[in-house]
Amino acid sequence: MQKFLVLVVFLGLFSLPLMAQDYPKAEVFAGYQFLHSEGDNFNGWNASATGNVNKVFGITGDFGGAYKTISGIDFKVYTYTGGPVINLNHEGTVNPFVHALLGGAHIIGSASGASASVNGFTVMYGGGADIKMSKLLALRGQVDWVYLRVSGIGSNKNVRLSTGIVLRF
């Protein structure tokens, strides 16, 4: 019995460093978005929330808005997607990640007091890296390939660049 207690105490002490290598349970990102879509450049915002199941796997909800005036028409592109994220190094200073996000898009065009809008489907594949500034704060850079399908027409020549801050809880 004494050997068993010594073994339990030894294993408990041995596991302390593993407990110190904790990962954030949730992350909230907010920042700037640059969207290159079919030859036009849009500027806007990007925000996401991630719940990390463990140090490698999480689930992300991503939201964005991009804006541009083309030939007197104001365009607004809103996206709302979600999906899995794979973290490649939560313990390090730099945490690269990849994600696959599926969801919808809402596009609005307006000019001279009239407006029209359409809804569609979107897929985003990409990733980026978080640079840890402190336990609670990181800087993020992210690149995504964006597929938009609206009114039966698909567009796959879209790239989104995002940068901003991450709050880690």
Side-chain angles (χ1 to χ4, degrees):
M1 183 68 175
Q2 187 177 11
K3 289 181 182 180
F4 176 73
L5 289 174
V6 170
L7 178 64
V8 168
V9 170
F10 177 75
L11 290 176
L13 291 174
F14 184 75
S15 68
L16 285 176
L18 296 176
M19 291 170 51
Q21 295 178 352
D22 207 12
Y23 60 93
K25 305 299 188 251
E27 299 170 311
V28 176
F29 165 74
Y32 166 78
Q33 168 187 183
F34 172 83
L35 175 65
H36 179 77
S37 178
E38 295 291 329
D40 290 309
N41 297 324
F42 293 73
N43 293 293
W45 55 271
N46 183 212
S48 66
T50 302
N52 292 309
V53 177
N54 56 40
K55 70 179 182 177
V56 176
F57 182 76
I59 301 294
T60 294
D62 185 283
F63 308 92
Y67 311 95
K68 169 90 178 188
T69 301
I70 303 169
S71 300
I73 302 172
D74 294 326
F75 286 96
K76 300 172 184 166
V77 179
Y78 297 105
T79 57
Y80 43 95
T81 59
V85 61
I86 305 294
N87 296 293
L88 304 174
N89 184 21
H90 252 310
E91 286 94 21
T93 303
V94 177
N95 175 36
F97 63 90
V98 294
H99 57 216
L101 308 173
L102 305 170
H106 183 70
I107 301 173
I108 303 168
S110 61
S112 302
S115 67
S117 65
V118 292
N119 293 312
F121 175 74
T122 188
V123 177
M124 296 185 194
Y125 296 113
D130 293 343
I131 301 171
K132 192 185 309 181
M133 305 305 287
S134 71
K135 182 176 172 120
L136 298 176
L137 184 67
L139 297 177
R140 174 172 290 177
Q142 177 176 317
V143 178
D144 294 302
W145 169 79
V146 180
Y147 174 77
L148 292 168
R149 184 163 183 86
V150 178
S151 297
I153 300 171
S155 169
N156 62 2
K157 297 178 182 174
N158 308 301
V159 176
R160 179 180 77 165
L161 306 173
S162 300
T163 186
I165 58 171
V166 180
L167 299 175
R168 308 166 87 220
F169 304 97

